[in-house]
């Protein structure tokens, strides 16, 4: 009797606790629905702006966490400063360009080969930051990271409009969220040129998609002088030009031949402008290529040699199999339905970027950052399923991979040049 009585006495308390938890869960669900409704009522640009803000704060938080474990080194005498920490690696070369410009003679190593220098880094980003520092009086680290963060906002806004050409609002917004928290998203707010370059590239792709060829032409040159993306841009322009000519003739539409010719010319200028400038200033015909080769021990590599050579160093006898699998993987991505649904312009850009990297880039720690140029893949991944769980899983997985990227590749050690992000 006593056990039954105790059971009966205890049950109301348990029931009350469960009822309380249930009520709390219900209030949480109602709050989430209310919040989603309120956020969903915002204009598209405000929603993208929130995605940008959350992504930048997320990166800031984890950068500060990693920074707590960064010892003081000659290359980073003040590890307690976020702005200094966000300005290392390539940011150091951009700062030299900002402060000193480009050397008129190429620096040489003790063995007489061309050494690494500012000539491997393109001028638009550091010169833009120089303008900001002159106007505002801000230091290089603060100005450079601010320019990158604002360029990232512009990039995400243009990306959304670009993705909306083929996708609904939710799909495009999730794609933008994936880009905002992706593995290498930190460089979009660090002293790197990626955010500005991707903003210009996205604007070019959007303008070309709307057939505003003349408006796109100057941006093509600027993009090619911000990051070495001139070759894939020219390839994309040529494919779009041929497709436009064929489509116009079949449909009997007016062909914007003059505008397309200007766009093609701009693409050509983007490919050759910087090598020619480097050659004229230094007096060395292959100044730019020789400086780029300095990061490979001075080796001038032909097409596929960087890719095949790096695979041989990593996988040894298995390298040919891994290399073929990699190329087949690229082909599979390009022929997948989600990528094909992006349309000719984005599909071509992705293919040009992936093909260009296979031709000229080694498999290294820099590869994830270089792959970020194929950012429309985020739209393809987001559009592969309408499941919210699937899309959130992608966002969370990318956000977690960013922590690994910061912890492993952004952490300086005594062998500062042993790794390169």
């Amino acid at each position: 009797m006593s056990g039954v009585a105790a059971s009966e006495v205890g049950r109301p308390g348990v029931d009350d606790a469960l009822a309380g938890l249930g009520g709390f869960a219900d209030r949480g669900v109602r709050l989430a629905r209310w919040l989603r409704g309120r956020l969903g009522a915002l204009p598209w640009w405000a929603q993208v702006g929130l995605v940008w803000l959350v992504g930048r704060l997320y990166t800031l938080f984890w950068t500060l966490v990693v920074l707590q474990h960064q010892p003081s080194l000659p290359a980073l005498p003040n590890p307690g400063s976020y702005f200094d920490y966000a300005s290392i690696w390539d940011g150091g070369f951009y700062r030299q360009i900002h402060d000193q410009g480009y050397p008129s003679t190429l620096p040489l190593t003790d063995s007489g080969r061309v050494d690494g220098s500012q000539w491997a880094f393109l001028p638009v980003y550091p010169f833009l930051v120089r303008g900001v520092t002159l106007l505002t009086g801000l230091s290089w680290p603060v100005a450079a990271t601010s320019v990158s963060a604002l360029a990232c906002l512009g990039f995400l806004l243009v990306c959304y409009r670009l993705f909306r050409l083929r996708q609904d609002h939710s799909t495009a917004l999730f794609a933008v969220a994936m880009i905002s928290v992706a593995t290498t998203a930190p460089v979009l707010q660090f002293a790197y040129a990626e955010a500005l370059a991707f903003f210009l590239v996205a604007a070019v792709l959007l303008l070309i998609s709307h057939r505003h060829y003349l408006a796109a032409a100057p941006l093509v040159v600027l993009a090619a002088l911000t990051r070495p993306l001139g070759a894939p841009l020219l390839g994309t322009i040529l494919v779009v030009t041929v497709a436009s000519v064929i489509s116009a003739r079949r449909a009997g539409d007016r062909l914007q031949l003059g505008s397309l010719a200007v766009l093609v010319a701009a693409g050509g200028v983007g490919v050759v402008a910087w090598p020619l400038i480097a050659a004229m200033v230094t007096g060395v015909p292959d100044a730019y290529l020789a400086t780029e080769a300095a990061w490979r021990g001075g080796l001038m590599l032909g097409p596929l040699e960087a890719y095949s050579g790096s695979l041989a160093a990593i996988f040894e006898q298995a390298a040919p199999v891994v290399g073929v699998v990699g190329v087949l993987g690229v082909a599979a991505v390009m022929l997948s339905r989600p990528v094909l649904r992006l349309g000719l312009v984005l599909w071509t850009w992705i293919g040009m970027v992936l093909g260009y990297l296979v031709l000229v880039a080694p498999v290294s720690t820099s590869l994830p950052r270089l792959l970020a140029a194929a950012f429309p893949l985020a739209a393809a991944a987001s559009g592969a399923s309408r499941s919210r769980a699937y899309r959130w899983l992608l966002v969370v997985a990318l956000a977690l991979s960013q922590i690994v990227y910061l912890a492993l590749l952004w952490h300086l050690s005594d062998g500062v040049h042993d790794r390169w992000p």
Side-chain angles (χ1 to χ4, degrees):
M1 286 293 294
S2 60
V4 173
S7 172
E8 290 176 351
V9 171
R11 188 177 296 118
V14 174
D15 291 344
D16 290 343
L18 291 174
L21 288 174
F24 180 78
D26 289 342
R27 286 193 295 272
V29 171
R30 288 197 298 270
L31 177 62
R33 288 176 178 172
W34 177 85
L35 187 60
R36 188 172 67 183
R38 297 289 291 182
L39 294 177
L42 295 174
W44 69 268
W45 52 266
Q47 294 184 48
V48 174
L50 282 174
V51 168
W52 167 81
L53 180 61
V54 170
R56 306 294 57 77
L57 291 176
Y58 178 82
T59 294
L60 174 63
F61 172 80
W62 286 111
T63 303
L64 292 175
V65 170
V66 172
L67 181 55
Q68 298 306 309
H69 303 280
Q70 175 62 58
S72 179
L73 296 170
L76 191 66
N78 183 19
S81 167
Y82 162 79
F83 294 107
D84 286 340
Y85 200 53
S87 303
I88 58 175
W89 300 117
D90 287 11
F93 284 98
Y94 285 124
R95 183 169 191 165
Q96 291 180 42
I97 299 168
H98 170 274
D99 294 343
Q100 308 162 10
Y102 292 88
S104 58
T105 57
L106 295 179
L108 302 177
T109 65
D110 294 337
S111 61
R113 64 175 175 81
V114 175
D115 198 4
S117 71
Q118 298 98 300
W119 282 110
F121 299 87
L122 299 169
V124 171
Y125 173 72
F127 285 168
L128 174 61
V129 178
R130 179 189 287 184
V132 172
T133 57
L134 290 175
L135 289 174
T136 63
L138 293 173
S139 65
W140 157 262
V142 176
T145 53
S146 298
V147 167
S148 293
L150 291 175
C152 175
L153 174 59
F155 169 48
L156 296 183
L157 289 168
V158 177
C159 269
Y160 173 85
R161 299 306 302 170
L162 186 61
F163 298 159
R164 285 288 282 124
L165 296 178
R166 293 276 178 161
Q167 296 173 322
D168 59 26
H169 169 74
S170 178
T171 304
L173 193 62
F174 266 101
V176 168
M178 290 168 60
I179 296 171
S180 186
V181 299
T183 307
T184 58
V187 299
L188 298 179
Q189 69 191 69
F190 289 173
Y192 271 54
E194 268 76 359
L196 181 60
F198 295 166
F199 166 64
L200 292 169
V201 168
V204 167
L205 298 177
L206 182 61
L207 289 169
I208 290 176
S209 298
H210 286 297
R211 300 182 181 180
H212 299 320
Y213 304 127
L214 284 179
L219 299 184
V220 169
V221 178
L222 285 176
L225 290 174
T226 306
R227 285 286 299 156
L229 297 170
L233 276 171
L234 177 59
T236 301
I237 289 168
L238 292 175
V239 171
V240 169
T241 298
V242 172
S244 298
V245 170
I246 294 174
S247 176
R249 287 183 175 178
R250 286 179 176 176
D253 295 336
R254 184 176 67 87
L255 179 62
Q256 301 180 49
L257 196 57
S259 299
L260 285 169
V262 172
L263 184 62
V264 171
V269 170
V271 171
V272 303
W274 191 241
L276 287 177
I277 292 171
M280 288 188 294
V281 173
T282 64
V284 179
D286 63 347
Y288 173 65
L289 294 178
T291 303
E292 284 279 7
W295 273 265
R296 299 188 296 269
L299 295 176
M300 292 281 196
L301 300 178
L304 291 175
E305 287 185 358
Y307 178 67
S308 59
S310 61
L311 289 180
I314 298 170
F315 298 101
E316 299 179 347
Q317 288 83 2
V321 175
V322 176
V324 171
V325 169
V327 173
L328 291 177
V330 170
V333 167
M334 294 306 300
L335 296 176
S336 65
R337 184 172 298 178
V339 175
L340 289 171
R341 282 201 298 256
L342 295 177
L344 176 67
V345 174
L346 296 188
W347 181 86
T348 304
W349 170 251
I350 293 171
M352 290 296 168
V353 170
L354 296 181
Y356 179 69
L357 292 179
V358 169
L359 286 175
V360 305
V363 177
S364 68
T365 55
S366 296
L367 188 58
R369 181 168 59 88
L370 299 177
L371 284 169
F375 56 85
L377 285 174
S382 178
S385 171
R386 298 194 62 83
S387 167
R388 281 187 171 271
Y390 158 80
R391 291 173 175 175
W392 276 113
L393 181 62
L394 287 178
V395 172
V396 171
L398 287 169
L400 292 176
S401 70
Q402 183 183 142
I403 302 173
V404 178
Y405 177 81
L406 284 169
L408 294 182
L409 294 182
W410 210 262
H411 187 269
L412 284 174
S413 62
D414 289 331
V416 172
H417 298 293
D418 291 345
R419 297 171 299 168
W420 203 262

